[in-house]
Amino acid sequence: MENDDKQQITRALWAICIFIAINWIVQPLLNHVLAFPVRGLSGLFATIVGIVVILLLSTSGERQSFLGPTKKEHMRIWPFLMLICIACLIEVIGKSVGQGITTALYHMTQSQFQTGVQNVTKGVNNTFFFVVYSLFIAPFLEEAVFRGYLLHRLEKFGPTVAIFVSALAYAIFHASVVTISFIFLLSLLLGYISYQYGVRWAIFFHMVDNAFIPIIASFFPISSVELTEFAIYIVGALIACLILLMNLEQIILWFKTHKSKEHSWNMVLVNVPMGILLVAGIIAYALQII
């Protein structure tokens, strides 16, 4: 049985490696070589190609449950709002760490880093398609792959393994040294939501998280939208800290009662595709610094 489990893990990780490789190759190809005119369209094409490959590498049973099991705990309004506050806390942490990394890299590499940022952002504009893509299409496709497919494949080995590995793969997929802390922490939260309530709630939460703060901020009569957004995140973060402190015992109990199976970490972390994934991630992040 352990042999079958390891084969299942290895196949899932190979599929994710190929999915990430396709996105890393196809997106720059479409953007820079073919000069794709619409921002986000290259990401849509690359992600769809990657999902097709994952489906081809999956068994018929895996394809039928691509979005994970449907019979999960029902999400209620208060847990949802509490999780939104925790997302605000993650945003504050992510912005703070990201700003620190950006400043450090700028001082380390001076003009090289500044030039790199300018090249990445040159000609970028938020078209209507990109807004639709970032608010609806990307959350659906990304959650389907990383929480629906990968987390669900690893779920039988325990939630901590499944949530951590899917979060790690998701952070590597984005390959952003500036936003890595935010992406990884948010992915842990999305992994918990997918495990506890189902991937459909993770998709919905991802969409809301991408949309609701800028929408709320736009209604405030303050000239700086960024200042308003940050103020909302700070309030949410303070509420999140209070929620976490008040529920500390339940959180500890949840981890105690949701332990991973014996040898699960070894099976997941000690194999060829995971090694390739980690090395590729390190190289991708290092290339942004050099």
Side-chain angles (χ1 to χ4, degrees):
M1 182 60 71
E2 188 173 315
N3 226 18
D4 294 339
D5 290 344
K6 191 163 187 176
Q7 286 179 359
Q8 181 181 338
I9 290 171
T10 303
R11 187 170 67 249
L13 290 173
W14 272 124
I16 291 299
C17 282
I18 294 169
F19 174 83
I20 291 174
I22 288 171
N23 274 269
W24 283 0
I25 294 168
V26 172
Q27 283 200 57
L29 181 69
L30 295 177
N31 282 331
H32 301 297
V33 179
L34 300 180
F36 251 47
V38 181
R39 187 184 179 202
L41 194 58
S42 60
L44 177 60
F45 269 75
T47 303
I48 289 174
V49 171
I51 288 175
V52 169
V53 170
I54 287 178
L55 291 172
L56 291 172
L57 292 175
S58 304
T59 63
S60 58
E62 289 172 346
R63 283 192 288 271
Q64 290 172 7
S65 61
F66 192 79
L67 289 178
T70 55
K71 292 182 179 179
K72 292 280 188 176
E73 185 180 338
H74 181 66
M75 175 77 85
R76 300 187 184 279
I77 184 66
W78 285 116
F80 188 82
L81 292 175
M82 286 190 288
L83 290 167
I84 286 289
C85 289
I86 294 171
C88 288
L89 176 61
I90 291 170
E91 181 73 30
V92 171
I93 294 170
K95 280 186 179 296
S96 301
V97 174
Q99 187 62 44
I101 292 173
T102 303
T103 304
L105 288 176
Y106 178 75
H107 287 303
M108 284 169 56
T109 58
Q110 295 298 324
S111 60
Q112 290 94 330
F113 181 70
Q114 188 178 31
T115 304
V117 171
Q118 289 172 349
N119 288 337
V120 169
T121 57
K122 184 173 60 178
V124 167
N125 58 338
N126 290 334
T127 61
F128 175 75
F129 173 80
F130 180 72
V131 172
V132 173
Y133 174 75
S134 61
L135 296 187
F136 300 103
I137 301 173
F140 176 81
L141 295 177
E142 290 175 2
E143 293 306 310
V145 171
F146 290 97
R147 256 66 67 176
Y149 175 77
L150 180 59
L151 188 143
H152 182 41
R153 297 284 81 75
L154 304 178
E155 196 172 355
K156 62 183 285 189
F157 307 108
T160 51
V161 165
I163 292 170
F164 176 82
V165 173
S166 63
L168 181 63
Y170 188 66
I172 292 171
F173 166 70
H174 280 83
S176 172
V177 72
V178 175
T179 60
I180 182 172
S181 59
F182 165 71
I183 290 171
F184 180 71
L185 291 173
L186 180 63
S187 192
L188 290 175
L189 182 63
L190 288 166
Y192 166 77
I193 293 169
S194 182
Y195 179 84
Q196 198 73 13
Y197 302 102
V199 70
R200 289 161 181 78
W201 276 107
I203 292 169
F204 180 67
F205 189 89
H206 196 151
M207 291 177 179
V208 171
D209 183 67
N210 279 5
F212 95 109
I213 294 296
I215 290 172
I216 291 173
S218 67
F219 287 99
F220 281 78
I222 300 178
S223 57
S224 174
V225 175
E226 282 191 15
L227 180 62
T228 310
E229 286 184 23
F230 192 69
I232 295 169
Y233 284 131
I234 287 292
V235 171
L238 292 173
I239 295 171
C241 290
L242 184 62
I243 290 168
L244 292 172
L245 286 172
M246 290 175 64
N247 295 276
L248 191 57
E249 288 185 8
Q250 290 93 323
I251 293 168
I252 294 170
L253 181 63
W254 190 90
F255 279 102
K256 285 182 177 178
T257 54
H258 290 79
K259 289 182 180 179
S260 295
K261 288 185 178 180
E262 192 178 359
H263 306 305
S264 293
W265 286 104
N266 288 339
M267 282 193 290
V268 172
L269 297 177
V270 185
N271 56 60
V272 174
M274 178 53 78
I276 291 173
L277 201 60
L278 290 172
V279 171
I282 292 169
I283 292 172
Y285 292 120
L287 287 174
Q288 297 174 56
I289 301 173
I290 298 172

